[in-house]
Amino acid sequence: MKDDNKSTLSVHAGQQRDSNIGVVNPIEPAVAFHYIDSGNQYYPRYFNTPNQQYIVEKIAALEHAPTGMLFSSGLAAISTTMRALAKPGDHVVMMENLYGGSLSFAAKEFSELGIAYDLAGSTVEEIMESTRPETTVILVETPANPLMQIIDLQALATAAKAKGILTVVDNTFASPINQNPADFGIDLVIHSGTKYLGGHSDLQFGTVTGSHELVERIRQKGICYGGNLDAMSCYLIERSIKTLDVRVSRQNENAMEIAKFLDKHDSIAKVYYAGLPTHPGFEIAQSQMRGFGGMLAFDLAAQHSATHFLRHLKLISPAMSLGGIETTVTLPVHSSHGLVPPAERQRLGIGEQLVRLSTGIENIEDILSDIEQALRTSVEKPAALQTS
Ligand SMILES: Cc1ncc(COP(=O)(O)O)c(C=O)c1O
């Protein structure tokens, strides 16, 4: 697989070379720009201001796409994109284990808008079986939350193109360092930049990248809905993405070490990490990812209490969200899948013992010894955790 220089692109793509501005792009907070002589109709909600464009150049270069757009959240990117690609009477196919916010967007909005949709399992066959003649778009994630299922991007793009259906991949878990769906023919790539692109658990934004034609369709919808960002946030995002490659490379390395450590640990029943040869998606992941990413999950053995394990971690924080430089954990039954009925969770393989871990950039020995001591002390089951 092509291994282009992501560290150089992370730093330099979108950087203006102008002797008057130094090596960092200026912050231009104006929401009113002179237009008479320049003809520039810049306005933040038109998604075209200089600070927005610097980041678009960077993320488009990182995602191997001609252009893109920047939003105020990942869900703003997802909802605006899906609205731009599906109109009343159309049909949409989404993977059943997408991010919960994407699923509830479909559940709450599509029916009101007269857009039909189906949820499919996480193989290309299951997804394509769910399509209809009026299907306009397919939305998937790979690796997917929380069991890290992998979808064959090339096979999906080929099958969808043959039926004239657009494909959208939420590439949040992989990050553009590890995977570029555009290389396999996927039409649009979305990120919750709140995760790896921002990387410090202190920014919220979203991106979409793709062809000029498709991004212009999304921009026209975005102009109606808003969901744009201001110049100050853009400056922080740009600064964050400059270190994306070094952060994610370290997170890849740490996650692989953690997965191997857990895989041979007596206290762990099962590890879900696409970088382990035992993972069902390993071979496809190896063929379409440069690194396996920082996200993994594991089932604690029956004698451990998952909530007790979380409470005993000293370095690692039980915290929602993911992709930050600090290692964090969640229990999907209390977080992403808290509203899913238990029988349905069981069908999806998401049990009470499942822990999802987002790997940070800390010293690997410190992370492993924190996990080890929490495993040692979490053998006895405490009273049930209040989840409200
Ligand atoms: C895979 C994935 N996509 C999209 C989103 C939504 O992003 P945001 O919270 O920035 O709207 C999330 C949030 O957790 C996510 O995990």
Side-chain angles (χ1 to χ4, degrees), residues 72-78 98-102 141 143-145 170-173 190-195 203-206 320-322 356:
S72 55
S73 72
L75 205 58
I78 291 166
L98 283 183
Y99 168 62
S102 305
E141 281 173 35
N145 183 35
D170 180 336
N171 204 26
T172 299
F173 271 35
I190 287 181
H191 283 277
S192 167
T194 316
K195 313 299 181 319
L203 288 170
Q204 183 146 48
F205 66 102
M320 303 282 181
S321 203
L322 58 108
R356 189 192 74 182

Side-chain angles (χ1 to χ4, degrees), residues 3 10 31 65 77 101 134 151 153 179 205 246 251 261 279 293 299 328 356 362:
D3 189 9
S10 301
V31 296
E134 61 274 22
I151 290 203
L153 292 174
Q179 177 172 273
F205 66 102
V246 284
Q251 284 163 316
F261 168 83
H279 189 282
D299 283 317
T328 57
R356 189 192 74 182
E362 302 95 335

Side-chain angles (χ1 to χ4, degrees), residues 85-120:
L85 305 184
K87 59 182 188 327
D90 289 344
H91 175 254
V92 173
V93 177
M94 300 166 80
M95 237 168 84
E96 66 188 357
N97 44 10
L98 283 183
Y99 168 62
S102 305
L103 294 176
S104 58
F105 163 71
K108 290 178 184 155
E109 298 295 301
F110 280 175
S111 54
E112 279 184 19
L113 293 163
I115 298 169
Y117 74 100
D118 277 302
L119 301 181

